[in-house]
Amino acid sequence: MHPDGAQPERRTRWLPDFAWCLPLLLAIILSVVATMPYWSADDASRGVGWYCAAMVLASLGLVGLSAMLARRMKQLGAQLAAGSAALAASEAQLRRAQRIGRVGGFEIDLRSGVNLRSGEYMSVQGMPGEARIERHADWVARLHPEDRERAERNFLDAVSDGSGITEYAQEYRIHAPDGEVRWIAARAEIERDAEGRALRMIGAHVDVTALKLAEAAGRASEERLRLAQEAAGLGSWERDMVTGEAVWSAEQYRLTGFDPAAGPPSREVFEARILPEDRLHAMAPASDEDGGFRRQFRIRHAGDGGIRSILALGRVLRDAAGRPVRMIGVNLDITDRVRAEERQALLTRELDHRAKNALAVVQAALRLTSRDDPEAFARAVEGRVAALTRAHTLLAEAGWTGADLRVLLQGELEPFLAGPEQMRLEGPAVTLAAVAAQPIAMAVHELATNAMKYGALSTAAGRVRLCWAEQNGQLAIDWTEEGGPALAGEPARRGFGTRVIEATLAGQLGGTVARDWAASGLRCRIRLPAARVIARSRPVEAPPELTFEGLRG
């Protein structure tokens, strides 16, 4: 085979044309032979011979030329048919590509306003796929109402004679005849004359509905992720460990306080925000086999300077050689959870302390209460334990942050009253600190016990008035008994209740207690430091133990 496959093809194409020259050569030979007898004759004969030879030669030459032209025409016809078939196949492929890609061509005569729409164009518009001629108003009528004014204005501005625009592009929505909303991307070229007048627009419409729906779904998914991250206090981040470049989510900026306009901080700047005592642990390399890590540390917020507790979850990605190339992860703000855990631990310790304290108080009451009268002994112990229980319940209901003074006083007095008229409470709303609730409850219980045995509450006509107010940095509580039996003066012996009052109010709370044994009834003036006994949004603190230390029966 010839090394150049094209050369035999060229010889095959030209050989038929040379072959048709053979009749012309044969005609010349025959003409010479036929006229040879006339060459020896006279001039007239020779002239006739030459004429006949020329006619024969011309005739045969015309026959050969005609045959050659016929052959050439046949070849050209075959080539034309092959070209037409190839063009038809190419057009079919183009139409198929347009149908698959949902692309439709159009041509607009901008001087006459005639719009030529291909069948594919009409299919994109949601109509039968047949080429047709439309007007500008037909296109406008299909535009979505929300996009109509903008899309038409863009088109008219582009084709205006003075705009000089030659490339046209825009996106808009249309309403297909079946009511479906479709997104169209229009692209076209505008032809202009020498004066800049728009003559013709040739272009295509592409149905990009699927792309727009995918973009909308992506945006919705990103929005859901953003809302979830905001709700959870979750910030995502990524850092290229080769270049140091990082990408942060919006929530990551909010969580750490850095300015989004400045971009993600460098590794060194972020590390400086971690509290020194947590820094070594926070920046430790990943220990899991897959490069994963879990770290908990505290940072100082770059915005307000507050302390945030952060839980970092992430993974280090490595290349084929095992070198770390990228780090991705999320940071979770667990400040509230950590504070709740710390408070829970404090409350647990407080509850344990109070439980032990309560047992100590009961033990002291059992040890120090007189045992001469078993029934009186049982009542005394039961009453003191009940007083402690009521104060404990008030504190528990308030989360160990304090107790309402009025509620506490009323709860301690009611068990000793024959009717509500025997009690009068006067004073503003005061919340006792947790350290003061139980000592005051025990003191009031002892006053009420004494009043029931010897004072105003020992008769149906007697009553107790309790008044309180905050004065000169002190909480003043005044206990006044009225209507009871006349008192002969201060008792000769200090009882257990008196010593409990002094031990709790004076010894534990730093207050003072003054008694006036008037004939009309006991008056007791209690003064306690307000800063210690009144709750002012302070954290829970452990109270001194009610052990009655130093008391003896």
Side-chain angles (χ1 to χ4, degrees):
M1 186 173 66
H2 197 282
D4 184 4
Q7 291 180 3
E9 182 181 351
R10 286 197 295 270
R11 286 198 300 271
T12 302
R13 187 171 66 249
W14 286 102
L15 276 176
D17 294 338
F18 288 117
W20 286 108
C21 293
L22 292 177
L24 180 59
L25 179 60
L26 181 61
I28 295 174
I29 296 173
L30 291 176
S31 299
V32 173
V33 173
T35 57
M36 286 182 64
Y38 294 98
W39 290 354
S40 60
D42 55 18
D43 294 336
S45 298
R46 284 196 298 274
V48 172
W50 283 108
Y51 176 77
C52 291
M55 292 300 293
V56 172
L57 180 62
S59 298
L60 293 176
L62 289 174
V63 172
L65 181 60
S66 299
M68 182 180 66
L69 292 175
R71 174 66 175 171
R72 172 65 70 176
M73 290 299 294
K74 184 176 181 181
Q75 290 177 344
L76 292 176
Q79 293 175 359
L80 181 60
S84 299
L87 179 60
S90 178
E91 290 178 348
Q93 291 177 350
L94 176 60
R95 287 194 297 272
R96 183 180 182 186
Q98 289 179 337
R99 184 176 66 256
I100 295 173
R102 300 186 68 79
V103 179
F106 66 90
E107 180 179 340
I108 304 175
D109 186 329
L110 298 173
R111 310 317 295 179
S112 66
V114 174
N115 291 249
L116 301 178
R117 318 292 198 188
S118 69
E120 291 76 15
Y121 176 98
M122 302 309 297
S123 295
V124 168
Q125 303 292 310
M127 292 181 286
E130 299 176 355
R132 60 187 296 182
I133 297 176
E134 288 193 323
R135 291 286 179 177
H136 176 74
D138 298 325
W139 169 70
V140 174
R142 288 192 294 269
L143 292 174
H144 192 283
E146 296 179 3
D147 297 348
R148 183 171 298 154
E149 182 178 356
R150 172 185 59 82
E152 185 179 20
R153 175 51 52 195
N154 289 344
F155 172 82
L156 295 177
D157 290 345
V159 301
S160 62
D161 289 340
S163 70
I165 296 175
T166 57
E167 293 185 357
Y168 163 82
Q170 70 165 324
E171 295 181 352
Y172 48 80
R173 292 168 294 176
I174 64 168
H175 268 304
D178 61 1
E180 179 186 2
V181 175
R182 296 185 180 183
W183 273 96
I184 301 297
R187 302 289 185 271
E189 293 183 353
I190 302 173
E191 298 177 359
R192 298 178 181 273
D193 60 15
E195 286 75 29
R197 292 178 298 180
L199 303 177
R200 188 170 60 155
M201 174 185 280
I202 299 177
H205 278 188
V206 183
D207 186 342
V208 293
T209 305
L211 176 62
K212 290 294 183 179
L213 292 177
E215 290 177 351
R219 288 192 298 271
S221 178
E222 291 177 356
E223 180 65 13
R224 288 194 296 271
L225 176 61
R226 184 186 65 80
L227 292 175
Q229 288 180 338
E230 288 182 358
L234 189 68
S236 60
W237 52 268
E238 178 179 343
R239 186 177 296 278
D240 188 317
M241 301 184 70
V242 178
T243 65
E245 296 180 354
V247 178
W248 280 19
S249 69
E251 185 61 19
Q252 176 72 359
Y253 285 105
R254 190 200 65 77
L255 186 151
T256 58
F258 287 97
D259 184 7
S266 66
R267 179 184 176 93
E268 293 73 20
V269 171
F270 180 77
E271 183 177 344
R273 283 284 161 184
I274 301 175
L275 297 191
E277 55 268 34
D278 295 351
R279 195 168 296 159
L280 184 62
H281 168 71
M283 306 309 292
S287 56
D288 295 349
E289 293 182 0
D290 61 353
F293 61 86
R294 179 189 179 96
R295 303 283 185 268
Q296 182 173 329
F297 52 89
R298 292 164 297 168
I299 66 170
R300 189 170 297 280
H301 196 269
D304 57 25
I307 303 300
R308 302 287 195 277
S309 294
I310 303 297
L311 176 63
L313 305 173
R315 177 165 293 143
V316 177
L317 305 180
R318 303 178 181 273
D319 60 14
R323 294 184 297 265
V325 294
R326 193 160 61 101
M327 183 183 295
I328 59 175
V330 294
N331 284 354
L332 178 63
D333 187 343
I334 58 172
T335 305
D336 292 341
R337 191 187 80 185
V338 169
R339 289 174 179 171
E341 291 174 350
E342 292 174 349
R343 182 172 180 80
Q344 183 64 36
L346 178 61
L347 289 176
T348 301
R349 291 194 300 270
E350 173 71 6
L351 182 61
D352 180 64
H353 173 82
R354 292 183 184 278
K356 292 178 180 179
N357 190 20
L359 292 176
V361 171
V362 172
Q363 184 180 22
L366 290 172
R367 186 178 68 251
L368 301 177
T369 302
S370 174
R371 297 174 175 81
D372 296 340
D373 184 349
E375 292 184 2
F377 171 79
R379 287 195 300 271
V381 171
E382 182 180 348
R384 286 159 184 163
V385 171
L388 184 64
T389 300
R390 285 190 290 271
H392 187 94
T393 300
L394 286 177
L395 290 172
E397 290 175 349
W400 298 98
T401 59
D404 184 270
L405 177 58
R406 180 183 293 272
V407 174
L408 183 141
L409 296 177
Q410 181 175 339
E412 295 303 330
L413 280 175
E414 282 183 342
F416 300 92
L417 304 178
E421 67 280 357
Q422 287 190 296
M423 175 180 65
R424 183 177 179 183
L425 303 178
E426 299 176 358
V430 172
T431 300
L432 293 175
V435 296
Q438 287 184 335
I440 292 176
M442 291 297 295
V444 172
H445 173 78
E446 296 301 330
L447 288 171
T449 300
N450 185 75
M452 185 183 69
K453 289 182 177 180
Y454 314 109
L457 298 182
S458 64
T459 65
R463 67 175 183 173
V464 172
R465 181 161 60 92
L466 263 172
C467 302
W468 66 91
E470 188 175 353
Q471 303 170 352
N472 302 321
Q474 292 184 322
L475 175 62
I477 302 176
D478 291 329
W479 169 283
T480 303
E481 298 182 22
E482 301 172 347
L487 300 181
E490 182 177 356
R493 188 177 67 88
R494 296 172 68 245
F496 175 72
T498 299
R499 284 176 288 174
V500 167
I501 294 173
E502 293 176 350
T504 55
L505 300 183
Q508 297 179 26
L509 298 182
T512 60
V513 180
R515 298 177 185 81
D516 180 8
W517 301 91
S520 59
L522 174 65
R523 296 176 183 176
C524 183
R525 292 183 297 276
I526 301 170
R527 300 295 182 264
L528 304 171
R532 181 169 178 79
V533 302
I534 296 180
R536 303 188 190 278
S537 302
R538 298 177 306 182
V540 175
E541 58 177 306
E545 294 184 0
L546 292 175
T547 59
F548 302 146
E549 189 67 28
L551 295 182
R552 293 293 183 268

